[in-house]
Amino acid sequence: MAHIQPITETDETVTLSRIDFERLVAAAEDAMDRAALHQQEAREAAEGREAARADYLPADLVKRLLAGESPVRIWREHRGMSGRALATAAGVNAVYLSEIERGRKPGSAAAIIAIARVLGVEPAELVE
């Protein structure tokens, strides 16, 4: 990375040029990507490649996610569950779950956490 030259500095702030700021952001993103890659490689080494990748979504489901379809519906279908079965297991009303899946309601934090627990994913995976 090129040398970063502050424009001004105080005890609490540093002013950078736009290009230096963008370089820092890019370097931080690259570092996070490398860390995630190393973490996945370690997981695959410990669990085996197939087991570590068992929860990956197939390309067709990823395309549906990218097209804006409900992550709750995608993960529910990926787990082979009906809406009613997921609602029962998560302790949420089936109509409420349907409204979440159709994008009519965002779902409360408690509902998303419960649904995520049943689906075996992080709650962040279920919010758009």
Side-chain angles (χ1 to χ4, degrees):
M1 181 168 68
H3 179 69
I4 303 292
Q5 183 63 45
I7 296 171
T8 60
E9 262 184 87
T10 70
D11 288 342
E12 296 183 18
T13 64
V14 175
T15 303
L16 303 174
S17 68
R18 168 68 59 189
I19 191 75
D20 283 347
F21 171 75
E22 290 173 356
R23 285 181 184 144
L24 284 174
V25 169
E29 289 172 347
D30 289 347
M32 290 181 349
D33 289 344
R34 282 191 301 276
L37 177 62
H38 293 309
Q39 182 180 20
Q40 182 61 26
E41 288 172 342
R43 182 176 175 213
E44 288 183 14
E47 299 176 17
R49 184 175 188 207
E50 194 170 313
R53 295 184 179 193
D55 273 350
Y56 284 11
L57 287 175
D60 63 316
L61 295 182
V62 172
K63 287 177 185 174
R64 288 172 53 192
L65 276 174
L66 293 173
E69 194 169 332
S70 166
V72 174
R73 177 177 287 139
I74 298 293
W75 280 104
R76 175 179 60 75
E77 290 177 3
H78 183 60
R79 298 293 190 234
M81 297 183 79
S82 69
R84 186 164 306 282
L86 175 56
T88 299
V92 300
N93 183 286
V95 173
Y96 184 51
L97 175 65
S98 176
E99 290 174 331
I100 293 170
E101 287 190 355
R102 289 182 291 158
R104 295 195 176 162
K105 295 204 174 163
S108 68
I112 295 299
I113 290 168
I115 292 166
R117 179 185 44 76
V118 172
L119 294 175
V121 298
E122 293 295 321
E125 294 290 331
L126 303 180
V127 292
E128 298 177 52

